[in-house]
Short mmCIF file of all heavy atoms in Angstrom, two decimals:
data_model
loop_
_atom_site.label_atom_id
_atom_site.label_comp_id
_atom_site.label_asym_id
_atom_site.label_seq_id
_atom_site.Cartn_x
_atom_site.Cartn_y
_atom_site.Cartn_z
N SER A 13 -14.24 12.28 1.09
CA SER A 13 -15.67 12.07 1.40
C SER A 13 -16.05 12.57 2.78
O SER A 13 -17.25 12.85 3.01
CB SER A 13 -15.98 10.58 1.28
OG SER A 13 -15.00 9.83 1.95
N TYR A 35 -13.02 8.35 -2.54
CA TYR A 35 -13.61 7.74 -1.33
C TYR A 35 -13.20 6.28 -1.36
O TYR A 35 -12.87 5.74 -2.43
CB TYR A 35 -15.12 7.92 -1.32
CG TYR A 35 -15.79 7.21 -2.51
CD1 TYR A 35 -16.28 5.93 -2.37
CD2 TYR A 35 -15.88 7.88 -3.74
CE1 TYR A 35 -16.84 5.28 -3.49
CE2 TYR A 35 -16.46 7.25 -4.83
CZ TYR A 35 -16.95 5.95 -4.69
OH TYR A 35 -17.49 5.33 -5.76
N SER A 37 -15.17 3.72 0.75
CA SER A 37 -16.43 3.00 0.86
C SER A 37 -17.67 3.90 0.91
O SER A 37 -18.77 3.46 0.60
CB SER A 37 -16.42 2.11 2.11
OG SER A 37 -16.20 2.91 3.28
N GLN A 38 -17.49 5.14 1.27
CA GLN A 38 -18.65 6.04 1.52
C GLN A 38 -19.00 6.86 0.27
O GLN A 38 -18.79 8.09 0.24
CB GLN A 38 -18.38 6.94 2.73
CG GLN A 38 -17.97 6.22 3.98
CD GLN A 38 -19.07 5.26 4.49
OE1 GLN A 38 -20.23 5.64 4.58
NE2 GLN A 38 -18.70 4.03 4.79
N LYS A 39 -19.55 6.16 -0.74
CA LYS A 39 -19.83 6.85 -2.01
C LYS A 39 -20.84 7.97 -1.85
O LYS A 39 -20.65 9.05 -2.44
CB LYS A 39 -20.37 5.80 -3.00
CG LYS A 39 -20.58 6.35 -4.36
CD LYS A 39 -21.06 5.28 -5.34
CE LYS A 39 -21.23 5.86 -6.72
NZ LYS A 39 -21.65 4.86 -7.70
N ASP A 40 -21.87 7.75 -1.05
CA ASP A 40 -22.92 8.78 -0.92
C ASP A 40 -22.35 10.06 -0.31
O ASP A 40 -22.68 11.17 -0.73
CB ASP A 40 -24.08 8.29 -0.06
CG ASP A 40 -24.90 7.22 -0.84
OD1 ASP A 40 -24.68 7.11 -2.07
OD2 ASP A 40 -25.72 6.55 -0.19
N ASP A 41 -21.46 9.87 0.68
CA ASP A 41 -20.84 11.05 1.33
C ASP A 41 -20.00 11.79 0.27
O ASP A 41 -20.02 13.02 0.20
CB ASP A 41 -19.92 10.61 2.44
CG ASP A 41 -20.70 10.17 3.67
OD1 ASP A 41 -21.94 10.31 3.68
OD2 ASP A 41 -20.08 9.65 4.65
N ALA A 42 -19.28 11.00 -0.56
CA ALA A 42 -18.43 11.62 -1.58
C ALA A 42 -19.29 12.39 -2.60
O ALA A 42 -18.94 13.54 -2.97
CB ALA A 42 -17.62 10.55 -2.29
N LEU A 43 -20.42 11.81 -2.99
CA LEU A 43 -21.29 12.48 -3.98
C LEU A 43 -21.89 13.75 -3.39
O LEU A 43 -22.11 14.75 -4.10
CB LEU A 43 -22.36 11.53 -4.45
CG LEU A 43 -21.84 10.34 -5.32
CD1 LEU A 43 -22.96 9.43 -5.73
CD2 LEU A 43 -21.07 10.88 -6.55
N ALA A 44 -22.14 13.73 -2.09
CA ALA A 44 -22.68 14.94 -1.42
C ALA A 44 -21.62 16.07 -1.44
O ALA A 44 -21.97 17.24 -1.65
CB ALA A 44 -23.07 14.64 0.06
N VAL A 45 -20.35 15.69 -1.30
CA VAL A 45 -19.30 16.73 -1.38
C VAL A 45 -19.20 17.28 -2.79
O VAL A 45 -19.07 18.48 -3.01
CB VAL A 45 -17.92 16.16 -0.93
CG1 VAL A 45 -16.84 17.23 -0.99
CG2 VAL A 45 -18.02 15.60 0.51
N VAL A 46 -19.29 16.38 -3.78
CA VAL A 46 -19.28 16.78 -5.17
C VAL A 46 -20.43 17.79 -5.43
O VAL A 46 -20.20 18.85 -6.04
CB VAL A 46 -19.41 15.58 -6.14
CG1 VAL A 46 -19.76 16.02 -7.57
CG2 VAL A 46 -18.19 14.71 -6.09
#
Side-chain angles (χ1 to χ4, degrees):
S13 46
Y35 61 94
S37 58
Q38 305 299 312
K39 185 177 183 179
D40 289 347
D41 288 353
L43 292 178
V45 180
V46 167

